[in-house]
Amino acid sequence: MKAGTELACDLTALSPQGRERVLALSEELMSQADELRALPDGFEIGYKAASTERLSQLAEFIALDSVCCPFLKHGIFLEPHEHEVWLHLSGPEGVKDGLEADILKLVSPEVAEGVRH
């Protein structure tokens, strides 16, 4: 990470339509998560169905979120033979706490309680 890079998302880096869309995608994707895994430097959000629509939503979310949160590592992982898909969000020291606060507000209580460390 470059010196001086802040660990706060800047939604003003997106157009008004981009801000609205990334927030809507965040709410939709997190509320539909089936599982949450804690990583040393972030989280993975799991979905049992790796449909074309879900993959498109995740890709669109990453395209927008990477503009306003350039310090985050974003990824999409497909589990072989299981049809599960995982959204990977991680970053430098200090990022995990902010991610946790944001994610836990949006996932279902069952997913939040079942987070695997």
Side-chain angles (χ1 to χ4, degrees), residues 18-72:
R19 284 192 294 275
E20 185 177 311
R21 183 66 180 147
V22 77
L23 293 172
L25 282 168
S26 294
E27 288 181 25
E28 182 175 353
L29 290 168
M30 297 305 156
S31 71
Q32 294 178 2
D34 295 306
E35 191 173 348
L36 184 60
R37 288 189 240 186
L39 304 170
D41 59 351
F43 289 90
E44 286 183 329
I45 300 101
Y47 305 89
K48 291 185 179 175
S51 67
T52 302
E53 180 182 0
R54 173 73 65 229
L55 291 170
S56 294
Q57 289 174 322
L58 291 168
E60 184 182 6
F61 171 78
I62 287 173
L64 292 167
D65 198 58
S66 64
V67 172
C68 59
C69 303
F71 54 88
L72 285 179

